[in-house]
Amino acid sequence: MTQAPTPSTTAAGAQAPAAAASTPSNVIRVGYARVSSRGQDHAAQLELLNAADCRDIVEETISTRRKDRPKLQATVASMKAGDTLVITKPDRVARSVKELLVFLEDELAPRGINLHILTGICAGTHRPNGQTMSDKMLFLVAAMAAEMERDLISERTNEGLDAARAAGRVGGRPVKATNDVLAAARARRERGQSVTHIARELGVGRSTLYRALKDNDPGSPMA
């Protein structure tokens, strides 16, 4: 891990102001660089990240087709509230806008981690607890998308319950999870969430979701 430079000392023994005096000493900036094949290198990203006052830089080589990024996940898990993850472009951590919003809502926001994007239309520092709208815009969009997902699933579940009641089916076996619920549940399981947590977030019964996932993907282990 690269250490921050030691402040210089004047002849009288007083310390000269540090170059990055505006950055709190307890806040860590970690850079993340990713390429998709071993035929590529991280040089262009590293140049930008090195100029962005990163305390440490993590390099990962992994295909864009793969959803999992082990080094990125380990890096985020090691960071604390107030730390900043620095990337050159959003596509270094996500394959789509939807995946970026999920990453912000599920991984960074709960940990209080900021995201600094160095280039492109979203360039700047985005903070889940930002003081201004521009500071937290991406996180607000991510939270809105997650809320809409929960509300739509809840609405469809209630519509199914109403239809069951109208047909005289009250109580008994819970309403079967819809394709929308299963798609959302699979995506969350791939991010390591437990079935219990997913069921609570999506507003369906744990046993109903567990059974639906098992029936539709019998080769996959349940959590």
Side-chain angles (χ1 to χ4, degrees):
M1 181 176 291
T2 304
Q3 298 296 324
T6 303
S8 59
T9 304
T10 64
Q15 286 188 339
S22 61
T23 302
S25 59
N26 62 331
V27 173
I28 296 175
R29 292 169 58 82
V30 179
Y32 174 76
R34 182 192 64 78
V35 294
S36 59
S37 72
R38 299 194 180 280
Q40 300 173 318
D41 62 54
H42 302 80
Q45 295 176 65
L46 294 178
E47 182 177 354
L48 291 171
L49 293 171
N50 277 316
D53 298 323
C54 294
R55 173 172 166 177
D56 192 19
I57 297 176
V58 177
E59 301 176 37
E60 185 159 48
T61 300
I62 196 163
S63 171
T64 304
R65 293 190 296 272
R66 290 185 55 179
K67 293 182 180 181
D68 61 317
R69 295 178 175 84
K71 287 189 177 181
L72 174 62
Q73 293 160 0
T75 298
V76 170
S78 70
M79 297 175 74
K80 297 180 173 59
D83 291 348
T84 299
L85 179 68
V86 186
I87 57 175
T88 56
K89 297 188 299 181
D91 64 3
R92 298 303 88 192
V93 297
R95 302 173 303 165
S96 65
V97 172
K98 180 179 179 180
E99 195 169 284
L100 175 65
L101 296 180
V102 169
F103 178 68
L104 291 168
E105 175 68 10
D106 288 4
E107 303 297 334
L108 299 191
R111 294 179 170 90
I113 297 172
N114 306 318
L115 178 68
H116 187 181
I117 302 173
L118 298 178
T119 65
I121 194 171
C122 294
T125 301
H126 306 274
R127 303 174 176 87
N129 300 313
Q131 298 300 309
T132 67
M133 187 66 73
S134 60
D135 280 345
K136 56 187 176 183
M137 179 59 73
L138 277 182
F139 284 94
L140 287 175
V141 173
M144 180 180 67
E147 182 179 31
M148 286 185 64
E149 178 189 44
R150 291 191 296 268
D151 288 348
L152 286 170
I153 290 172
S154 176
E155 181 179 351
R156 289 165 184 159
T157 300
N158 288 332
E159 287 174 352
L161 289 170
D162 290 342
R165 292 190 188 98
R169 300 193 302 273
V170 180
R173 182 168 177 160
V175 174
K176 184 178 180 180
T178 65
N179 289 334
D180 292 323
V181 172
L182 289 174
R186 289 193 190 97
R188 289 170 180 267
R189 277 180 57 208
E190 289 174 356
R191 297 195 296 274
Q193 294 183 10
S194 68
V195 173
T196 300
H197 178 78
I198 296 169
R200 183 170 63 250
E201 287 292 308
L202 299 184
V204 298
R206 181 188 183 281
S207 59
T208 300
L209 182 59
Y210 185 98
R211 183 168 49 249
L213 288 170
K214 186 176 181 180
D215 290 345
N216 284 272
D217 192 8
S220 177
M222 295 289 104

